Amino acid sequence: MSSAWLMYRQPVNLGKSVRYGLFALRTIAIFILSFLLIAPLVRSVAYNPQKPLVLIAQDNSQSINTFKPAGFNAQQFVTALSKLKQQLGDKYDVREFNFSRDLKDSLSAKFNGKQTNISSAIHQLNERFVNQNIGALVLATDALYNQGSDPRYEAKNLKTSIYTIALGDTITKRDLLIGNANYNKTAYLGDDFAVEVLAEAYQAKGENIRLSVTEEGKQVFSQTTQVNSDNFKKVIPLKLSADKKGVRKFTVSIAPVKNEISVQNNTETIYVEVLDAKQKILLLYDGPHPDISVIKQSIETNKNYEVKSSLLSDLPKLKLSDYSMVILYQAASSSSGALQSFITKSKVPVFYILGGQSDLQQFDNEQKTVQINASQQQMQEVFAEFSLFTLSDSTRSKLVKLPPLMAPFGDYKNSGSNQVLLKQRIGQVATPYPLLSFSDENGRRIAILTGEGLWRWALSEYQAYGNHHALEELLGQTVQYLTAASNRQRFRVYPAKNVFDEGENVLINAELYNDALELVNTPDVKIDLKNDSGKNYSFLFTRSGQSYQLDAGTLPVGEYAYTASTKLGTQPFIVKGLLTVKPLNLETRQSAADHHLLLDLAKQSGGQMLYPSQISQLADLIRKNDNIKTVVYEDKHYSDLVDLKWIFAVILILLSAEWFLRKREGEI
């Protein structure tokens, strides 16, 4: 303002009114420019109305159309439900969904879902429309869920009214079914494995449940149980024989009775993989010793191993080729020509355990891993001292507290290839002498325990901890290391599991080893899967880390034979195997709808339960609910005044007007 006052204080050629006008124009323009320099903020408020959301979630699982009451028409029901959007009009934002295992957009009259997860559907709706104006949820279902948790817990997180439409029939129908089958997915060749079948019968008092198990059309088990109530349940235990290796398919079925509503739930197919993985281990000794039973029991805690203990004198009665590992307890292979020839030619792994009866000269001659120079047969107490850590922390902490073993006194020399797991500690002095060590001699793995007295370890550990876990792990890991090399295939292909559920992604892993038994994944790995109907599916594995993985997606129900192939250098590798995609039969295991659950959902949320015949009332109920209304959100926004372009237009107009008037009066 001072500059305007100085400029127009006493102009010679301007009239008084013109002078005041020019003064006002410049003063206003300078004031606005000066005001903008302090960066003032302008608050603007916008009001955004949001119509209430009405979410319709319709159960699309098989049970809706399988166990329906008389007069229910699925197509007509879906059509009536779809009219709700038109009946509510423009004041409501209606969104339609269907669900079985997963939530999907729009309604559906297919009713082909294999699983039902109501809580997941509610959870997904709550996440999708979080912080929005959810006015009501219309949930049309029979409340029979076989996946997920109780929907009542998830519904508490959805802060809105739930209107449930009770589908299905609450009257229990005459039905015999297999409720569940519990069994181990794997069994070992030659063993019997247990299966527990939950047999259920409704409205069938006085009938008999005729349960049978067949394999390849041949009956392997049968049992008849009388039904003594209209709501009958019984667990029927049975044993099947694993007399053939591979994936075994067993069909468990209940013979249907007259007027039974559904026979789809009378059959359950189970798949058990019978493994020929039980390895036979030969434990040889010259004379009885308490360590023998400790070694045998500790190793056999792993069902993969079977230990045969025998005196060396009984060796001619044994078939050595049946064994994949030999344990020589204070014995030497050179004492038997047949044993020495078997070990040398087959390169079978050997576990030497030394003691007071060991012939150290023979021991030194048989292997080059550990050499013991002793002037006379004397023993000394030695404790375990760790060097190579391959055991669990609990086992390591236990072993150092166990009593000493008795080891030959002498000078020990290790070969360069010897890997020492446990070293000897004599009193408080740690030594480099091996107590338990491993080596590979000309392609044959050997282990050497230079002390006896494992029975003391077993007694001491049980007294202190009530179990033999440390000793079992030590001997188990030793046996596993020794037998691993002889059983390792250069090319391995194995599914994530042998039996996949219908609709589940089929995952397959592959490993390729070079000559040094190191993982490599340089070459491509292909696989062909052929189902029992002759259709072929081909895939290429993807590389993952140092190995391979394949996600084959979902495959049709059936049994598949696969052939995987690759080539490392000039050497081809081919692996064949089997996997199965089994059908889901969950939707036919329960026939009576649970309308009590739907009533609870409606009550706890302030909604109401309706039947399909009352669906025309739904629009009026939603309109009359005072909690379902349009919400107006106030949006406050602050912006810099300098961002308003019209301010600069005003300044430009003021300055232009001043310039024009001055020019007109001859001042420019």
Side-chain angles (χ1 to χ4, degrees):
M1 287 190 297
S2 58
S3 62
W5 179 77
L6 291 173
M7 188 170 185
Y8 297 110
R9 183 181 55 178
Q10 288 181 339
V12 177
N13 300 321
L14 293 177
K16 186 176 181 181
S17 58
V18 174
R19 193 169 70 237
Y20 286 162
L22 291 174
F23 172 79
L25 291 173
R26 177 163 287 240
T27 299
I28 294 171
I30 293 175
F31 174 78
I32 294 174
L33 286 172
S34 302
F35 186 69
L36 290 177
L37 291 176
I38 63 175
L41 297 177
V42 177
R43 187 182 78 167
S44 59
V45 180
Y47 296 95
N48 301 316
Q50 188 178 95
K51 293 184 289 186
L53 281 166
V54 177
L55 308 177
I56 303 176
Q58 169 238 326
D59 191 340
N60 191 42
S61 60
Q62 289 180 340
S63 63
I64 301 296
N65 217 19
T66 303
F67 306 110
K68 56 186 178 182
F72 178 78
N73 185 291
Q75 185 64 56
Q76 291 178 1
F77 168 73
V78 174
T79 302
L81 190 61
S82 65
K83 291 180 180 178
L84 180 63
K85 187 173 186 177
Q86 180 182 354
Q87 292 168 349
L88 288 174
D90 295 335
K91 293 183 179 180
Y92 299 87
D93 185 2
V94 181
R95 309 286 182 91
E96 298 172 335
F97 303 90
N98 74 84
F99 68 91
S100 51
R101 184 179 65 177
D102 299 309
L103 184 72
K104 299 177 182 178
D105 291 336
S106 76
L107 303 179
S108 174
K110 294 180 178 179
F111 298 102
N112 56 359
K114 302 286 187 179
Q115 298 166 280
T116 306
N117 193 335
I118 302 175
S119 62
S120 176
I122 296 175
H123 177 74
Q124 291 180 61
L125 288 172
N126 196 21
E127 279 197 335
R128 185 179 296 191
F129 299 102
V130 65
N131 296 328
Q132 297 190 42
N133 182 23
I134 303 177
L137 168 64
V138 178
L139 182 64
T141 179
D142 57 6
L144 297 179
Y145 62 93
N146 42 53
Q147 296 288 318
S149 59
D150 190 323
R152 280 173 284 217
Y153 299 115
E154 188 62 43
K156 291 179 180 179
N157 299 322
L158 189 68
K159 308 301 182 184
T160 190
S161 300
I162 299 178
Y163 292 88
T164 56
I165 302 177
L167 303 180
D169 196 347
T170 57
I171 300 175
T172 304
K173 306 296 191 300
R174 184 180 178 87
D175 195 19
L176 272 62
L177 61 101
I178 297 174
N180 194 18
N182 290 323
Y183 61 97
N184 288 327
K185 303 299 186 292
T186 58
Y188 294 103
L189 186 64
D191 288 349
D192 290 338
F193 59 93
V195 180
E196 290 184 343
V197 178
L198 174 60
E200 302 180 21
Y202 300 97
Q203 304 301 318
K205 185 176 180 180
E207 296 285 353
N208 288 324
I209 294 178
R210 294 185 293 275
L211 178 72
S212 64
V213 181
T214 59
E215 182 185 17
E216 298 178 352
K218 180 182 177 183
Q219 184 172 286
V220 295
F221 177 87
S222 65
Q223 180 174 319
T224 300
T225 303
Q226 188 174 20
V227 179
N228 53 27
S229 69
D230 284 333
N231 189 7
F232 179 82
K233 293 183 181 182
K234 183 177 181 180
V235 175
I236 301 176
L238 56 99
K239 282 192 175 182
L240 302 176
S241 177
D243 54 1
K244 185 173 62 176
K245 68 178 182 179
V247 178
R248 307 278 298 276
K249 175 184 177 182
F250 297 94
T251 302
V252 185
S253 59
I254 294 176
V257 296
K258 189 177 180 181
N259 297 325
E260 188 174 354
I261 186 173
S262 173
V263 296
Q264 297 179 32
N265 50 17
N266 289 39
T267 303
E268 179 77 13
T269 303
I270 65 174
Y271 298 84
V272 177
E273 184 182 14
V274 179
L275 303 173
D276 189 12
K278 185 173 283 190
Q279 300 188 52
K280 293 184 177 181
I281 298 170
L282 182 59
L283 171 57
L284 296 172
Y285 54 94
D286 254 336
H289 194 283
D291 280 357
I292 302 297
S293 62
V294 171
I295 296 169
K296 177 178 171 63
Q297 292 171 12
S298 297
I299 295 175
E300 286 186 337
T301 55
N302 187 330
K303 286 189 175 182
N304 286 317
Y305 303 118
E306 177 185 333
V307 179
K308 169 67 176 177
S309 56
S310 174
L311 285 164
L312 275 172
S313 57
D314 295 333
L315 197 61
K317 303 176 184 178
L318 303 176
K319 186 180 179 182
L320 295 177
S321 59
D322 289 343
Y323 300 95
S324 57
M325 176 180 163
V326 176
I327 300 176
L328 294 174
Y329 186 84
Q330 301 193 47
S333 63
S334 56
S335 57
S336 168
L339 177 61
Q340 191 171 35
S341 175
F342 169 67
I343 291 175
T344 303
K345 291 181 180 179
S346 66
K347 294 189 180 297
V348 65
V350 180
F351 185 10
Y352 295 94
I353 300 179
L354 305 183
Q357 304 304 315
S358 297
D359 187 328
L360 298 182
Q361 185 62 46
Q362 282 186 325
F363 172 73
D364 287 348
N365 293 335
E366 288 188 12
Q367 49 77 46
K368 302 302 179 185
T369 299
V370 175
Q371 299 288 298
I372 304 176
N373 183 13
S375 57
Q376 54 185 341
Q377 192 75 13
Q378 293 182 348
M379 306 295 288
Q380 63 183 356
E381 292 184 344
V382 294
F383 295 87
E385 185 79 16
F386 280 94
S387 174
L388 182 65
F389 296 101
T390 58
L391 301 172
S392 66
D393 291 339
S394 62
T395 295
R396 286 156 46 193
S397 64
K398 287 179 182 179
L399 289 180
V400 295
K401 300 174 184 177
L402 296 179
L405 301 180
M406 300 301 295
F409 175 81
D411 184 25
Y412 292 73
K413 292 183 179 179
N414 293 323
S415 68
S417 62
N418 190 25
Q419 289 185 301
V420 180
L421 174 65
L422 301 176
K423 291 182 178 181
Q424 297 181 16
R425 176 168 56 85
I426 303 173
Q428 299 300 320
V429 179
T431 73
Y433 297 161
L435 179 58
L436 177 58
S437 58
F438 303 89
S439 182
D440 192 319
E441 291 189 355
N442 301 319
R444 176 170 59 91
R445 286 186 174 182
I446 67 172
I448 299 171
L449 179 65
T450 59
E452 63 172 283
L454 295 175
W455 63 272
R456 295 190 184 91
W457 280 12
L459 289 177
S460 178
E461 184 182 6
Y462 190 83
Q463 183 179 16
Y465 306 102
N467 56 57
H468 302 116
H469 293 169
L471 185 57
E472 290 168 359
E473 182 181 343
L474 177 66
L475 293 178
Q477 292 281 19
T478 299
V479 172
Q480 184 176 344
Y481 171 80
L482 292 174
T483 57
S486 59
N487 295 319
R488 177 174 289 178
Q489 297 173 309
R490 294 277 303 280
F491 182 43
R492 298 180 61 223
V493 178
Y494 50 98
K497 52 186 179 181
N498 294 99
V499 181
F500 295 89
D501 290 329
E502 181 182 4
E504 184 180 9
N505 283 20
V506 175
L507 305 176
I508 306 176
N509 302 293
E511 294 177 351
L512 180 63
Y513 295 85
N514 60 18
D515 293 333
L517 294 181
E518 298 171 331
L519 276 172
V520 293
N521 63 356
T522 307
D524 290 337
V525 174
K526 300 178 182 179
I527 189 169
D528 294 317
L529 294 101
K530 189 175 183 180
N531 63 12
D532 41 15
S533 62
K535 188 170 183 180
N536 193 71
Y537 301 85
S538 298
F539 300 94
L540 188 67
F541 279 83
T542 58
R543 293 168 176 82
S544 176
Q546 294 297 313
S547 55
Y548 301 86
Q549 284 187 346
L550 170 66
D551 184 349
T554 58
L555 296 177
V557 170
E559 296 182 357
Y560 292 81
Y562 63 81
T563 302
S565 61
T566 188
K567 192 174 184 180
L568 185 59
T570 59
Q571 185 175 3
F573 295 94
I574 296 177
V575 171
K576 296 183 178 181
L578 296 172
L579 62 87
T580 303
V581 179
K582 71 170 185 176
L584 284 176
N585 197 25
L586 299 176
E587 288 297 312
T588 57
R589 287 184 176 172
Q590 192 174 356
S591 62
D594 188 358
H595 289 178
H596 290 293
L597 188 150
L598 298 179
L599 188 60
D600 290 344
L601 285 174
K603 281 185 176 181
Q604 77 179 21
S605 65
Q608 188 172 330
M609 187 182 82
L610 304 173
Y611 291 97
S613 59
Q614 300 172 300
I615 197 170
S616 59
Q617 304 174 20
L618 188 56
D620 286 335
L621 290 172
I622 292 175
R623 291 193 197 98
K624 292 176 182 178
N625 191 332
D626 294 334
N627 295 322
I628 305 175
K629 54 188 176 182
T630 299
V631 175
V632 178
Y633 293 94
E634 184 182 73
D635 183 17
K636 294 181 180 180
H637 180 69
Y638 291 88
S639 59
D640 289 329
L641 189 63
V642 72
D643 294 333
L644 300 179
K645 293 182 174 55
W646 63 267
I647 294 290
F648 294 96
V650 170
I651 296 173
L652 181 61
I653 291 172
L654 292 172
L655 295 178
S656 299
E658 180 196 6
W659 178 86
F660 176 78
L661 291 174
R662 289 185 62 196
K663 186 171 182 63
R664 192 188 66 175
E665 297 297 328
E667 287 295 308
I668 297 178

